[in-house]
């Protein structure tokens, strides 16, 4: 089966989302499918997780004019690839993408509530999205939700053929730590994220740290955290080799 994975990640950036998408694509490839990532042009060299994957790049819109290009945002690349399925991380899309659902089976992956779009999309884009979102949802052949709670949101009642598959890690790449012995001392908790997004819940970690003053908390990736207790150590963004040393 030919699968076009339409997303809006830069695969030259070491982000959790980019790694998760690559993990999915690598598993599909190992299962014998022909997979292409349809994504914005990379700003640098592709990340290690994307090695061996086909990435078809498109110009990412920088304004409303490019956003409304009827052949933009991956449409041209998808038609050239001629997939059996378009797997799309649910996103604010222009109306031209509806034509793709008539030609190919469209499956949405739902990662967040609709209300979160307000955090990183302009009001004009959200208003445009509101005019045709129902048509998009009805056009989908199926939907994958990353949590049961999201699948129960009324915003997504129009999606049919749904399944819940949580995010995960590639177990074969996790080193075996059967011989690991914990160093005696206070409990240590480690949080790793990037982008300083509100859904990380770093404020909740700080609250937890106040309730567990004898425990040590390491936070990597979120550069601006205020009002943290002294048992929280803020490392800021770190490359992989640096945060692995901390672990």
């Amino acid at each position: 089966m030919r699968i076009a994975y339409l997303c809006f990640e830069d695969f030259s950036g070491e982000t959790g989302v980019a790694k998760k998408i690559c993990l999915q694509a690598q598993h599909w490839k190992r299962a014998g499918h022909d997979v292409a990532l349809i994504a914005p042009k990379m700003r640098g060299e592709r990340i290690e997780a994307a090695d061996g994957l086909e990435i078809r790049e498109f110009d990412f819109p920088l304004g409303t004019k490019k956003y409304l290009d009827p052949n933009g945002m991956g449409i041209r690349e998808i038609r050239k690839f001629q997939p059996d399925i378009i797997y799309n991380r649910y996103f604010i899309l222009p109306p031209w993408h509806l034509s793709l659902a008539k030609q190919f089976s469209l499956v949405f992956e739902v990662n967040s509530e609709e209300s979160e779009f307000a955090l990183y999309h302009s009001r004009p884009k959200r208003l445009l999205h509101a005019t045709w979102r129902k048509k998009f949802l009805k056009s989908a052949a199926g939907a994958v939700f990353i949590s049961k709670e999201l699948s129960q949101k009324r915003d997504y009642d129009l999606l049919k053929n749904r399944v819940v598959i949580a995010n995960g890690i590639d177990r074969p790449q996790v080193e075996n730590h059967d011989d690991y012995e914990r160093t005696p001392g206070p409990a240590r908790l480690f949080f790793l994220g990037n982008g300083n997004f509100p859904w990380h819940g770093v404020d909740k970690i700080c609250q937890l740290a106040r309730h567990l003053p004898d425990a040590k908390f390491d936070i990597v990736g979120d550069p601006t955290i205020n009002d943290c207790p002294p048992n929280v150590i803020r490392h800021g963004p770190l490359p992989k080799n640096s945060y692995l040393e901390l672990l």
Side-chain angles (χ1 to χ4, degrees):
M1 183 178 293
R2 291 172 67 80
I3 304 173
Y5 197 138
L6 175 61
C7 54
F8 299 89
E9 285 297 310
D10 178 359
F11 289 101
S12 64
E14 289 277 355
T15 68
V17 173
K19 291 177 182 177
K20 183 240 178 170
I21 291 172
C22 292
L23 168 64
Q24 286 177 290
Q26 298 284 13
H27 274 285
W28 291 339
K29 278 193 64 178
R30 287 198 287 269
H33 301 293
D34 188 4
V35 184
L37 301 180
I38 314 297
K41 286 186 177 178
M42 291 178 281
R43 298 188 181 98
E45 295 295 320
R46 66 169 61 196
I47 59 175
E48 183 180 348
D51 285 349
L53 293 176
E54 179 180 356
I55 303 177
R56 299 195 176 200
E57 300 170 278
F58 59 86
D59 290 322
F60 194 67
L62 300 176
T64 303
K65 185 176 180 180
K66 286 189 176 181
Y67 178 77
L68 293 176
D69 178 359
N71 290 307
M73 292 185 72
I75 292 179
R76 183 183 296 104
E77 289 71 23
I78 288 172
R79 288 196 171 124
K80 286 182 179 179
F81 184 63
Q82 286 292 301
D84 298 299
I85 288 178
I86 301 172
Y87 190 87
N88 173 221
R89 286 177 66 87
Y90 186 62
F91 189 76
I92 289 184
L93 293 171
W96 323 118
H97 286 70
L98 280 169
S99 64
L100 295 175
K102 296 177 182 179
Q103 187 176 358
F104 312 105
S105 294
L106 174 64
V107 176
F108 283 128
E109 180 183 281
V110 181
N111 291 269
S112 61
E113 298 183 42
E114 286 254 352
S115 58
E116 291 184 9
F117 287 159
L119 298 174
Y120 41 84
H121 289 292
S122 66
R123 189 168 183 270
K125 281 187 179 180
R126 299 200 308 273
L127 290 174
L128 288 170
H129 172 71
T131 62
W132 52 69
R133 66 172 296 276
K134 287 185 179 180
K135 290 183 179 180
F136 264 118
L137 297 178
K138 288 180 179 179
S139 71
V144 177
F145 293 83
I146 63 165
S147 73
K148 182 179 179 181
E149 291 77 13
L150 273 177
S151 72
Q152 295 171 337
K153 295 293 182 181
R154 294 189 62 183
D155 284 343
Y156 302 117
D157 283 349
L158 294 174
L159 287 170
K160 54 187 180 292
N161 300 325
R162 53 183 59 207
V163 66
V164 176
I165 303 176
N167 291 331
I169 59 173
D170 194 356
R171 292 189 63 182
Q173 293 184 9
V174 177
E175 295 180 9
N176 188 345
H177 292 299
D178 290 340
D179 58 348
Y180 173 78
E181 293 186 9
R182 182 179 175 276
T183 303
R188 186 180 176 205
L189 295 91
F190 196 95
F191 173 83
L192 176 64
N194 67 281
N196 198 27
F197 293 112
W199 53 80
H200 284 172
V202 174
D203 57 323
K204 306 296 190 301
I205 297 175
C206 291
Q207 290 179 22
L208 180 63
R210 292 187 185 92
H211 289 286
L212 299 172
D214 294 331
K216 177 184 175 183
F217 293 76
D218 291 274
I219 297 179
V220 173
D222 281 88
T224 56
I225 310 168
N226 299 317
D227 193 27
C228 285
N231 56 331
V232 174
I233 301 175
R234 298 171 290 179
H235 300 278
L238 293 175
K240 182 178 179 179
N241 60 333
S242 296
Y243 68 68
L244 286 179
E245 288 181 7
L246 291 173
L247 288 169

